[in-house]
């Protein structure tokens, strides 16, 4: 029997075509089977909250979408704007518009805020201008000559997001962007993510603070032991106490 092929124009959860699609993704760290057949679809400009308990496979799924070497994807398809991302290396997927902001932010030591942003623009000089980024993140304008690694945690998170936007991106993948941040800083970041959404950029948000993520997101996908157990509206998760208690412990 011929292997089943994925149709990127068919959205399994919605009626409209998907913009960014993961279909039956399986991935391993060595012998550890982490992502066990994850499928979901996202429309252009949506914010999707990718949720689950610790160890559910959220970060691994995010890394698989970014086409990083680990985890190793052994099966499945990833499509972005009708292009086959799953056959690409991470740098090739980045050129197509995928940007991952990892949990550790990876600010480059020895470079100022502005130099971190300029480096991204040297690699791909067609993203947001410095002035536009500084308008989005006024704190970064104030600290543009300061070494990036000396910023506060919240400011480093802003810099990591701004650096992603300095390229021409279509999908922003965020891994635990609120971790360790004061609520007032989280408020600022959420305001920024809404502005980014209004620009048509699609966002996948992995976040332990599920309530805040759900209040921001249009849709939610919940993972449990590497599989999808819920794919639907974020509002429904907020209103479903039993679902939250079983899979999110809230």
């Amino acid at each position: 029997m011929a292997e089943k092929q994925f149709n990127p124009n068919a959205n399994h959860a919605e009626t409209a075509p998907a913009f960014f699609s993961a279909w039956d993704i399986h991935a391993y760290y060595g012998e550890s089977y982490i992502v066990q057949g994850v499928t979901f679809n996202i429309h252009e400009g949506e914010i999707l909250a990718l949720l689950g308990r610790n160890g559910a496979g959220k970060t691994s799924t995010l890394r698989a979408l970014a086409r990083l070497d680990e985890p190793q994807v052994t099966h499945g398809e990833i499509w972005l704007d009708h292009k086959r991302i799953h056959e690409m290396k991470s740098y090739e997927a980045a050129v197509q518009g995928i940007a991952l902001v990892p949990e550790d932010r990876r600010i480059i030591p020895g470079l100022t805020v502005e130099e971190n942003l300029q480096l991204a623009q040297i690699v791909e000089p067609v993203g947001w201008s410095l002035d536009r980024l500084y308008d989005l993140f006024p704190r970064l304008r104030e600290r543009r000559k300061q070494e990036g690694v000396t910023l506060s945690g919240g400011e480093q998170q802003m810099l990591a997001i701004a650096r992603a936007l300095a390229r021409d991106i279509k999908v922003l993948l965020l891994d635990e962007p609120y971790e360790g941040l004061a609520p007032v800083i989280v408020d600022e970041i959420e305001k920024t993510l809404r502005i980014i959404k209004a620009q048509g950029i699609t966002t996948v948000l992995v976040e332990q603070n599920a309530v805040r993520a759900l209040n921001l997101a249009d849709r939610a996908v919940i993972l449990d032991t590497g599989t999808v157990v819920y794919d639907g509206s974020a509002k429904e998760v907020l209103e479903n106490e039993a679902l939250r208690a079983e899979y999110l412990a809230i």
Side-chain angles (χ1 to χ4, degrees), residues 53-141:
R53 298 174 186 265
N54 287 334
K58 304 183 300 296
T59 293
S60 296
T61 299
L62 214 61
R63 290 175 61 86
L65 294 176
R67 301 300 298 122
L68 299 185
D69 292 337
E70 290 187 327
Q72 181 184 7
V73 177
T74 60
H75 182 79
E77 301 184 13
I78 304 166
W79 291 75
L80 171 60
D81 198 13
H82 310 294
K83 295 181 180 178
R84 300 165 67 95
I85 301 299
H86 53 279
E87 297 178 339
M88 298 181 180
K89 300 293 187 182
S90 60
Y91 70 89
E92 294 171 322
V95 169
Q96 294 303 320
I98 301 284
L100 171 64
V101 177
E103 185 178 356
D104 61 5
R105 298 157 190 155
R106 299 189 183 177
I107 306 304
I108 301 174
L111 298 185
T112 65
V113 166
E114 193 153 297
E115 288 168 341
N116 267 274
L117 297 175
Q118 288 174 331
L119 183 61
Q121 292 182 324
I122 289 172
V123 174
E124 189 177 345
V126 290
W128 292 26
S129 68
L130 284 177
D131 283 342
R132 190 178 179 192
L133 292 171
Y134 287 147
D135 287 343
L136 189 63
F137 297 102
R139 287 170 179 253
L140 297 184
R141 176 182 276 117

Side-chain angles (χ1 to χ4, degrees), residues 1-56:
M1 180 180 294
E3 182 179 355
K4 182 180 178 182
Q5 296 296 309
F6 176 56
N7 177 4
N9 294 315
N11 189 318
H12 301 284
E14 308 281 350
T15 56
F19 177 72
F20 187 44
S21 300
W23 183 73
D24 198 25
I25 301 299
H26 297 254
Y28 291 77
Y29 284 100
E31 298 297 320
S32 299
Y33 185 21
I34 305 299
V35 182
Q36 304 182 20
V38 167
T39 294
F40 57 81
N41 301 285
I42 312 174
H43 293 161
E44 187 172 9
E46 278 190 325
I47 298 177
L48 182 137
L50 185 60
L51 306 175
R53 298 174 186 265
N54 287 334

